[in-house]
Amino acid sequence: MNTPTEKLQKVLARAGFGSRREMETAIADGRVKVNGQVATLGDRIETRDRVTLDDRPVSLRDAEEVPRRVIMYNKPEGELCTRRDPEGRRTVFDRLPRLKGERWIAIGRLDINTSGLLLFTTDGELANRLMHPSTQVEREYAVRVMGGVRPENVTAMTEGVMLEDGPARFTDVQEFGGEGINTWFHVVILEGRNREVRRLWESQELTVSRLKRVRYGNIFLDKRAKAGEWVELSQEEVDDLAQLAGLSARKVPALTPDEQNRWSRDKNKRRPVNAMRKPKSSRRSR
């Protein structure tokens, strides 16, 4: 009888060491070993194999053994979606509650000048499914646009335009008011390509002056998390995300007393967002 195997990057992501893409990079960089041998992309492993990442043993777990926690974070402008920045700038991971033996995995990214909803999970498979283009998860943004937006601009962006990395389109564009040359719109997109929302507007010779993500799938940014704050999603919300990703529901583990104390301390250490803002005189429109 054949022993079931799984892709190495999938097992590493499930163990909470990062997304599948991050684990593919780690394998390509020679940081992963299987049974003492440097792994290569495409390797498949069994549960009895010995795996190390950066020479540290990896505990292999079945999918059902991985805790599935999800937090919603309200990202302010000026933060980077990276774990570490060589220039010492603040990252979204600096504000998240600490985990023991696991890592938060970002479900998608936002650029430094974009604010709003970011989701993080301990379940690498959930993150991968929700980010994969085939899942067609809606991302909704509030966009403030400089310039006069004509009906033909909206038609072009919903029918599709050719960008440097391929065709792109909004599935919906709704005007939400505003004054003068600054008008607010809500747009929906099904991909997470780099600066895609901004580039779609730029294709119409229009400039985005503010951009905020307000929804990812069925999770809306709400008042539970102010700018720079996070909140853990409920069992119902996590189950809804799992269903969207085509995964079975799994009980969200309760926090241990140690985790409750640690998470509470992490929330209390939060630096006020206002302290990060530049004086108005030095800010330039983007």
Side-chain angles (χ1 to χ4, degrees):
M1 184 175 67
N2 293 330
T3 304
T5 63
E6 289 187 285
K7 290 183 178 179
L8 177 56
Q9 63 267 29
K10 180 178 179 179
V11 176
L12 290 171
R14 188 168 66 215
F17 289 95
S19 66
R20 283 198 198 179
R21 184 175 298 179
E22 289 173 328
M23 293 302 94
E24 288 171 355
T25 300
I27 295 168
D29 291 344
R31 296 166 51 202
V32 181
K33 294 180 181 178
V34 177
N35 299 325
Q37 302 296 315
V38 176
T40 59
L41 284 173
D43 284 353
R44 301 180 69 91
I45 62 171
E46 305 172 6
T47 54
R48 64 186 180 186
D49 287 322
R50 292 178 292 106
V51 180
T52 61
L53 173 63
D54 296 328
D55 294 322
R56 295 181 179 180
V58 173
S59 297
L60 304 183
R61 294 183 289 187
D62 292 331
E64 294 304 313
E65 297 175 338
V66 179
R68 180 181 289 161
R69 285 185 171 133
V70 183
I71 57 175
M72 173 175 64
Y73 177 63
N74 189 348
K75 174 191 176 297
E77 291 182 13
E79 287 186 352
L80 297 169
C81 288
T82 184
R83 293 189 185 275
R84 299 178 186 84
D85 178 54
E87 300 179 24
R89 292 171 294 180
R90 194 162 189 109
T91 79
V92 293
F93 289 94
D94 293 337
R95 295 186 184 270
L96 304 188
R98 290 167 293 167
L99 293 168
K100 192 172 183 179
E102 295 175 300
R103 300 178 81 188
W104 290 116
I105 302 168
I107 302 174
R109 300 167 64 91
L110 295 174
D111 67 43
I112 190 171
N113 295 323
T114 302
S115 63
L117 174 63
L118 271 175
L119 296 175
F120 295 86
T121 181
T122 54
D123 185 349
E125 183 63 17
L126 177 66
N128 181 71
R129 293 280 190 96
L130 290 174
M131 288 187 290
H132 200 278
S134 64
T135 310
Q136 297 282 282
V137 176
E138 291 186 342
R139 290 91 156 158
E140 182 176 345
Y141 292 81
V143 188
R144 190 174 70 186
V145 181
M146 294 180 61
V149 180
R150 301 184 303 275
E152 54 264 36
N153 299 136
V154 175
T155 298
M157 291 186 293
T158 53
E159 290 184 349
V161 299
M162 183 61 68
L163 303 178
E164 58 268 28
D165 55 353
R169 62 183 287 265
F170 294 130
T171 60
D172 191 23
V173 178
Q174 298 290 333
E175 184 174 344
F176 265 66
E179 297 181 358
I181 63 171
N182 291 308
T183 306
W184 282 94
F185 292 83
H186 275 224
V187 300
V188 176
I189 201 165
L190 297 177
E191 296 179 294
R193 286 149 60 183
N194 184 41
R195 298 186 70 255
E196 189 171 2
V197 174
R198 294 180 188 273
R199 290 187 292 137
L200 271 165
W201 286 99
E202 289 167 0
S203 73
Q204 305 303 302
E205 299 184 351
L206 295 165
T207 301
V208 172
S209 57
R210 289 286 302 278
L211 183 60
K212 181 176 185 177
R213 184 153 69 195
V214 296
R215 178 169 65 90
Y216 196 104
N218 45 19
I219 303 299
F220 288 83
L221 184 66
D222 57 35
K223 295 180 180 179
R224 287 179 294 173
K226 298 178 182 178
E229 294 182 345
W230 52 267
V231 64
E232 186 170 19
L233 297 188
S234 67
Q235 180 74 59
E236 182 180 2
E237 290 171 317
V238 175
D239 288 348
D240 285 345
L241 280 173
Q243 183 178 23
L244 190 63
L247 297 173
S248 59
R250 192 183 307 160
K251 184 174 176 57
V252 175
L255 293 175
T256 65
D258 178 64
E259 287 173 329
Q260 288 177 340
N261 291 333
R262 189 166 64 246
W263 286 34
S264 178
R265 289 196 302 269
D266 289 345
K267 272 197 171 182
N268 292 333
K269 287 193 307 182
R270 185 181 66 84
R271 187 193 306 175
V273 174
N274 288 339
M276 298 175 56
R277 292 177 178 164
K278 298 179 182 179
K280 289 185 178 180
S281 59
S282 65
R283 294 187 72 182
R284 295 179 295 177
S285 62
R286 295 175 176 88

Short mmCIF file of all heavy atoms in Angstrom, two decimals, residues 8-56:
data_model
loop_
_atom_site.label_atom_id
_atom_site.label_comp_id
_atom_site.label_asym_id
_atom_site.label_seq_id
_atom_site.Cartn_x
_atom_site.Cartn_y
_atom_site.Cartn_z
N LEU A 8 6.08 19.48 0.15
CA LEU A 8 6.83 19.97 1.30
C LEU A 8 6.39 21.38 1.70
O LEU A 8 6.20 21.66 2.89
CB LEU A 8 8.32 19.96 0.97
CG LEU A 8 9.28 20.50 2.03
CD1 LEU A 8 9.10 19.76 3.35
CD2 LEU A 8 10.72 20.38 1.54
N GLN A 9 6.21 22.27 0.72
CA GLN A 9 5.85 23.65 1.07
C GLN A 9 4.47 23.72 1.72
O GLN A 9 4.20 24.57 2.57
CB GLN A 9 5.91 24.57 -0.16
CG GLN A 9 4.95 24.23 -1.27
CD GLN A 9 5.58 23.33 -2.32
OE1 GLN A 9 6.45 22.54 -2.00
NE2 GLN A 9 5.13 23.45 -3.58
N LYS A 10 3.58 22.80 1.34
CA LYS A 10 2.24 22.77 1.93
C LYS A 10 2.31 22.37 3.40
O LYS A 10 1.64 22.97 4.25
CB LYS A 10 1.35 21.79 1.16
CG LYS A 10 -0.06 21.68 1.70
CD LYS A 10 -0.90 20.72 0.86
CE LYS A 10 -2.32 20.60 1.41
NZ LYS A 10 -3.15 19.68 0.58
N VAL A 11 3.14 21.37 3.70
CA VAL A 11 3.29 20.91 5.08
C VAL A 11 3.93 22.00 5.95
O VAL A 11 3.50 22.24 7.08
CB VAL A 11 4.14 19.62 5.13
CG1 VAL A 11 4.37 19.19 6.58
CG2 VAL A 11 3.44 18.51 4.36
N LEU A 12 4.92 22.69 5.41
CA LEU A 12 5.58 23.76 6.17
C LEU A 12 4.62 24.91 6.43
O LEU A 12 4.60 25.49 7.52
CB LEU A 12 6.81 24.26 5.42
CG LEU A 12 8.00 23.30 5.35
CD1 LEU A 12 9.06 23.81 4.39
CD2 LEU A 12 8.61 23.10 6.74
N ALA A 13 3.83 25.27 5.43
CA ALA A 13 2.85 26.35 5.61
C ALA A 13 1.82 25.97 6.66
O ALA A 13 1.44 26.78 7.50
CB ALA A 13 2.18 26.68 4.28
N ARG A 14 1.39 24.73 6.61
CA ARG A 14 0.39 24.25 7.58
C ARG A 14 0.96 24.28 8.99
O ARG A 14 0.23 24.51 9.96
CB ARG A 14 -0.05 22.84 7.22
CG ARG A 14 -1.21 22.34 8.06
CD ARG A 14 -1.78 21.08 7.47
NE ARG A 14 -0.85 19.97 7.53
CZ ARG A 14 -0.75 19.02 6.60
NH1 ARG A 14 -1.51 19.07 5.52
NH2 ARG A 14 0.11 18.03 6.73
N ALA A 15 2.26 24.08 9.12
CA ALA A 15 2.90 24.10 10.44
C ALA A 15 3.06 25.51 10.98
O ALA A 15 3.50 25.70 12.12
CB ALA A 15 4.25 23.41 10.37
N GLY A 16 2.71 26.52 10.17
CA GLY A 16 2.71 27.89 10.66
C GLY A 16 3.99 28.66 10.46
O GLY A 16 4.20 29.69 11.11
N PHE A 17 4.85 28.21 9.55
CA PHE A 17 6.12 28.90 9.33
C PHE A 17 6.03 29.99 8.26
O PHE A 17 7.01 30.69 8.01
CB PHE A 17 7.22 27.89 8.95
CG PHE A 17 7.64 27.02 10.09
CD1 PHE A 17 7.07 25.77 10.27
CD2 PHE A 17 8.59 27.45 11.00
CE1 PHE A 17 7.43 24.97 11.34
CE2 PHE A 17 8.96 26.66 12.08
CZ PHE A 17 8.38 25.40 12.24
N GLY A 18 4.91 30.13 7.63
CA GLY A 18 4.73 31.15 6.60
C GLY A 18 3.78 30.66 5.53
O GLY A 18 3.26 29.53 5.60
N SER A 19 3.55 31.50 4.53
CA SER A 19 2.69 31.12 3.42
C SER A 19 3.40 30.10 2.54
O SER A 19 4.61 29.89 2.65
CB SER A 19 2.32 32.35 2.59
OG SER A 19 3.47 32.87 1.95
N ARG A 20 2.65 29.48 1.63
CA ARG A 20 3.29 28.52 0.71
C ARG A 20 4.36 29.21 -0.13
O ARG A 20 5.43 28.64 -0.38
CB ARG A 20 2.23 27.90 -0.21
CG ARG A 20 1.40 26.83 0.45
CD ARG A 20 0.72 25.99 -0.61
NE ARG A 20 -0.39 25.23 -0.05
CZ ARG A 20 -1.16 24.44 -0.77
NH1 ARG A 20 -0.97 24.31 -2.06
NH2 ARG A 20 -2.16 23.78 -0.20
N ARG A 21 4.09 30.44 -0.56
CA ARG A 21 5.08 31.15 -1.36
C ARG A 21 6.35 31.40 -0.56
O ARG A 21 7.47 31.24 -1.08
CB ARG A 21 4.49 32.48 -1.84
CG ARG A 21 5.42 33.25 -2.77
CD ARG A 21 4.75 34.50 -3.30
NE ARG A 21 3.58 34.17 -4.11
CZ ARG A 21 2.80 35.08 -4.68
NH1 ARG A 21 3.05 36.37 -4.51
NH2 ARG A 21 1.78 34.71 -5.40
N GLU A 22 6.20 31.79 0.70
CA GLU A 22 7.38 32.00 1.56
C GLU A 22 8.14 30.70 1.76
O GLU A 22 9.38 30.69 1.77
CB GLU A 22 6.94 32.57 2.91
CG GLU A 22 6.45 34.01 2.85
CD GLU A 22 5.87 34.48 4.16
OE1 GLU A 22 5.28 33.64 4.89
OE2 GLU A 22 5.98 35.67 4.47
N MET A 23 7.42 29.59 1.90
CA MET A 23 8.09 28.31 2.09
C MET A 23 8.77 27.83 0.80
O MET A 23 9.83 27.20 0.86
CB MET A 23 7.08 27.26 2.59
CG MET A 23 6.55 27.55 3.99
SD MET A 23 7.87 27.66 5.25
CE MET A 23 8.20 29.43 5.32
N GLU A 24 8.19 28.13 -0.34
CA GLU A 24 8.85 27.82 -1.60
C GLU A 24 10.17 28.57 -1.72
O GLU A 24 11.17 28.02 -2.20
CB GLU A 24 7.93 28.16 -2.77
CG GLU A 24 6.75 27.20 -2.92
CD GLU A 24 5.73 27.68 -3.93
OE1 GLU A 24 5.90 28.80 -4.45
OE2 GLU A 24 4.76 26.93 -4.21
N THR A 25 10.18 29.82 -1.28
CA THR A 25 11.41 30.61 -1.29
C THR A 25 12.44 30.02 -0.34
O THR A 25 13.63 29.92 -0.68
CB THR A 25 11.12 32.07 -0.89
OG1 THR A 25 10.19 32.64 -1.82
CG2 THR A 25 12.39 32.91 -0.89
N ALA A 26 11.99 29.60 0.84
CA ALA A 26 12.91 28.99 1.82
C ALA A 26 13.52 27.71 1.26
O ALA A 26 14.73 27.44 1.43
CB ALA A 26 12.16 28.71 3.12
N ILE A 27 12.71 26.90 0.56
CA ILE A 27 13.22 25.66 -0.05
C ILE A 27 14.23 26.00 -1.15
O ILE A 27 15.31 25.40 -1.23
CB ILE A 27 12.07 24.81 -0.62
CG1 ILE A 27 11.16 24.33 0.52
CG2 ILE A 27 12.59 23.62 -1.42
CD1 ILE A 27 9.84 23.73 0.04
N ALA A 28 13.88 26.96 -2.00
CA ALA A 28 14.79 27.36 -3.09
C ALA A 28 16.10 27.91 -2.56
O ALA A 28 17.16 27.75 -3.20
CB ALA A 28 14.11 28.39 -3.99
N ASP A 29 16.06 28.54 -1.39
CA ASP A 29 17.28 29.10 -0.79
C ASP A 29 18.11 28.07 -0.04
O ASP A 29 19.14 28.41 0.56
CB ASP A 29 16.92 30.25 0.17
CG ASP A 29 16.38 31.47 -0.56
OD1 ASP A 29 16.59 31.56 -1.79
OD2 ASP A 29 15.76 32.33 0.10
N GLY A 30 17.65 26.82 -0.01
CA GLY A 30 18.42 25.76 0.65
C GLY A 30 18.30 25.74 2.16
O GLY A 30 19.14 25.15 2.84
N ARG A 31 17.25 26.35 2.68
CA ARG A 31 17.09 26.45 4.14
C ARG A 31 16.34 25.26 4.73
O ARG A 31 16.24 25.13 5.95
CB ARG A 31 16.35 27.74 4.50
CG ARG A 31 17.10 29.02 4.12
CD ARG A 31 16.19 30.23 4.17
NE ARG A 31 15.46 30.30 5.44
CZ ARG A 31 14.33 30.97 5.61
NH1 ARG A 31 13.76 31.60 4.58
NH2 ARG A 31 13.74 31.00 6.80
N VAL A 32 15.81 24.39 3.87
CA VAL A 32 15.00 23.26 4.34
C VAL A 32 15.72 21.95 4.03
O VAL A 32 16.25 21.77 2.93
CB VAL A 32 13.61 23.27 3.67
CG1 VAL A 32 12.76 22.11 4.18
CG2 VAL A 32 12.90 24.60 3.92
N LYS A 33 15.71 21.05 5.00
CA LYS A 33 16.30 19.72 4.81
C LYS A 33 15.27 18.65 5.15
O LYS A 33 14.45 18.84 6.05
CB LYS A 33 17.53 19.54 5.70
CG LYS A 33 18.70 20.45 5.35
CD LYS A 33 19.88 20.20 6.28
CE LYS A 33 21.04 21.13 5.95
NZ LYS A 33 22.18 20.93 6.89
N VAL A 34 15.33 17.54 4.41
CA VAL A 34 14.47 16.39 4.67
C VAL A 34 15.38 15.18 4.88
O VAL A 34 16.19 14.84 4.01
CB VAL A 34 13.50 16.11 3.50
CG1 VAL A 34 12.68 14.86 3.77
CG2 VAL A 34 12.59 17.31 3.27
N ASN A 35 15.28 14.61 6.07
CA ASN A 35 16.13 13.47 6.44
C ASN A 35 17.60 13.79 6.24
O ASN A 35 18.39 12.96 5.77
CB ASN A 35 15.73 12.23 5.64
CG ASN A 35 14.29 11.81 5.91
OD1 ASN A 35 13.79 11.95 7.01
ND2 ASN A 35 13.61 11.34 4.87
N GLY A 36 17.98 15.01 6.59
CA GLY A 36 19.39 15.42 6.53
C GLY A 36 19.86 15.92 5.19
O GLY A 36 20.99 16.41 5.07
N GLN A 37 19.03 15.84 4.14
CA GLN A 37 19.41 16.27 2.81
C GLN A 37 18.70 17.58 2.45
O GLN A 37 17.52 17.75 2.77
CB GLN A 37 19.06 15.20 1.77
CG GLN A 37 19.70 13.85 2.04
CD GLN A 37 21.23 13.91 1.94
OE1 GLN A 37 21.77 14.51 1.01
NE2 GLN A 37 21.89 13.29 2.91
N VAL A 38 19.42 18.48 1.78
CA VAL A 38 18.82 19.74 1.36
C VAL A 38 17.67 19.46 0.41
O VAL A 38 17.81 18.73 -0.57
CB VAL A 38 19.85 20.65 0.68
CG1 VAL A 38 19.20 21.94 0.16
CG2 VAL A 38 20.97 20.99 1.66
N ALA A 39 16.52 20.03 0.72
CA ALA A 39 15.31 19.78 -0.08
C ALA A 39 15.32 20.61 -1.36
O ALA A 39 16.04 21.60 -1.48
CB ALA A 39 14.07 20.11 0.75
N THR A 40 14.52 20.19 -2.31
CA THR A 40 14.35 20.93 -3.56
C THR A 40 12.87 21.13 -3.82
O THR A 40 12.02 20.38 -3.32
CB THR A 40 14.98 20.18 -4.75
OG1 THR A 40 14.36 18.89 -4.87
CG2 THR A 40 16.48 20.01 -4.56
N LEU A 41 12.55 22.15 -4.61
CA LEU A 41 11.16 22.40 -4.96
C LEU A 41 10.57 21.18 -5.68
O LEU A 41 11.21 20.60 -6.56
CB LEU A 41 11.05 23.63 -5.86
CG LEU A 41 11.19 24.99 -5.16
CD1 LEU A 41 11.24 26.11 -6.19
CD2 LEU A 41 10.04 25.21 -4.19
N GLY A 42 9.38 20.80 -5.29
CA GLY A 42 8.74 19.63 -5.88
C GLY A 42 8.81 18.41 -5.01
O GLY A 42 8.12 17.41 -5.28
N ASP A 43 9.65 18.45 -3.93
CA ASP A 43 9.75 17.31 -3.02
C ASP A 43 8.43 17.06 -2.32
O ASP A 43 7.70 17.99 -1.97
CB ASP A 43 10.84 17.56 -1.97
CG ASP A 43 12.24 17.39 -2.53
OD1 ASP A 43 12.36 16.96 -3.69
OD2 ASP A 43 13.20 17.68 -1.80
N ARG A 44 8.13 15.79 -2.12
CA ARG A 44 6.95 15.38 -1.35
C ARG A 44 7.44 14.57 -0.16
O ARG A 44 8.46 13.86 -0.25
CB ARG A 44 5.99 14.55 -2.21
CG ARG A 44 5.49 15.29 -3.43
CD ARG A 44 4.53 14.42 -4.25
NE ARG A 44 3.27 14.20 -3.55
CZ ARG A 44 2.21 14.98 -3.68
NH1 ARG A 44 2.25 16.06 -4.47
NH2 ARG A 44 1.09 14.72 -3.03
N ILE A 45 6.74 14.67 0.96
CA ILE A 45 7.19 14.01 2.17
C ILE A 45 6.07 13.21 2.81
O ILE A 45 4.89 13.42 2.53
CB ILE A 45 7.76 15.02 3.20
CG1 ILE A 45 6.66 16.00 3.64
CG2 ILE A 45 8.95 15.75 2.64
CD1 ILE A 45 7.08 16.86 4.81
N GLU A 46 6.46 12.30 3.70
CA GLU A 46 5.54 11.53 4.52
C GLU A 46 5.62 12.05 5.95
O GLU A 46 6.57 12.75 6.32
CB GLU A 46 5.91 10.04 4.48
CG GLU A 46 6.00 9.46 3.09
CD GLU A 46 6.55 8.03 3.10
OE1 GLU A 46 6.73 7.48 4.22
OE2 GLU A 46 6.79 7.48 2.02
N THR A 47 4.66 11.68 6.77
CA THR A 47 4.64 12.15 8.15
C THR A 47 5.82 11.61 8.96
O THR A 47 6.20 12.20 9.96
CB THR A 47 3.32 11.74 8.84
OG1 THR A 47 3.14 10.31 8.70
CG2 THR A 47 2.14 12.46 8.22
N ARG A 48 6.41 10.50 8.52
CA ARG A 48 7.54 9.93 9.26
C ARG A 48 8.87 10.58 8.91
O ARG A 48 9.88 10.32 9.56
CB ARG A 48 7.62 8.43 9.00
CG ARG A 48 7.93 8.08 7.54
CD ARG A 48 7.85 6.59 7.32
NE ARG A 48 8.13 6.23 5.94
CZ ARG A 48 8.02 5.00 5.45
NH1 ARG A 48 7.62 4.01 6.26
NH2 ARG A 48 8.29 4.74 4.18
N ASP A 49 8.90 11.45 7.88
CA ASP A 49 10.14 12.11 7.48
C ASP A 49 10.56 13.13 8.54
O ASP A 49 9.74 13.71 9.25
CB ASP A 49 9.98 12.82 6.13
CG ASP A 49 9.92 11.84 4.97
OD1 ASP A 49 10.65 10.84 5.01
OD2 ASP A 49 9.12 12.08 4.04
N ARG A 50 11.89 13.35 8.59
CA ARG A 50 12.45 14.36 9.50
C ARG A 50 12.74 15.63 8.69
O ARG A 50 13.51 15.61 7.74
CB ARG A 50 13.73 13.85 10.15
CG ARG A 50 13.52 12.70 11.13
CD ARG A 50 14.82 12.20 11.72
NE ARG A 50 15.65 11.54 10.70
CZ ARG A 50 16.73 12.06 10.16
NH1 ARG A 50 17.14 13.27 10.51
NH2 ARG A 50 17.43 11.40 9.26
N VAL A 51 12.10 16.72 9.09
CA VAL A 51 12.21 17.99 8.36
C VAL A 51 12.78 19.06 9.27
O VAL A 51 12.39 19.16 10.45
CB VAL A 51 10.83 18.44 7.82
CG1 VAL A 51 10.95 19.75 7.06
CG2 VAL A 51 10.24 17.36 6.92
N THR A 52 13.71 19.85 8.74
CA THR A 52 14.24 20.99 9.49
C THR A 52 14.16 22.24 8.63
O THR A 52 14.27 22.18 7.40
CB THR A 52 15.71 20.77 9.91
OG1 THR A 52 16.54 20.60 8.74
CG2 THR A 52 15.85 19.56 10.82
N LEU A 53 13.95 23.37 9.27
CA LEU A 53 13.97 24.68 8.63
C LEU A 53 15.00 25.51 9.37
O LEU A 53 14.89 25.72 10.58
CB LEU A 53 12.59 25.34 8.70
CG LEU A 53 12.50 26.79 8.20
CD1 LEU A 53 12.84 26.90 6.73
CD2 LEU A 53 11.11 27.37 8.47
N ASP A 54 16.01 25.97 8.64
CA ASP A 54 17.13 26.69 9.26
C ASP A 54 17.74 25.85 10.38
O ASP A 54 18.10 26.36 11.46
CB ASP A 54 16.69 28.06 9.79
CG ASP A 54 16.22 28.98 8.68
OD1 ASP A 54 16.75 28.87 7.56
OD2 ASP A 54 15.32 29.80 8.93
N ASP A 55 17.83 24.53 10.12
CA ASP A 55 18.42 23.55 11.04
C ASP A 55 17.63 23.37 12.34
O ASP A 55 18.14 22.77 13.29
CB ASP A 55 19.88 23.92 11.37
CG ASP A 55 20.79 23.83 10.15
OD1 ASP A 55 20.59 22.90 9.34
OD2 ASP A 55 21.68 24.68 10.00
N ARG A 56 16.40 23.84 12.36
CA ARG A 56 15.53 23.62 13.51
C ARG A 56 14.46 22.61 13.14
O ARG A 56 13.85 22.72 12.08
CB ARG A 56 14.88 24.92 13.96
CG ARG A 56 15.88 25.95 14.47
CD ARG A 56 15.17 27.22 14.92
NE ARG A 56 16.10 28.21 15.43
CZ ARG A 56 15.75 29.41 15.88
NH1 ARG A 56 14.46 29.75 15.89
NH2 ARG A 56 16.66 30.24 16.32
#
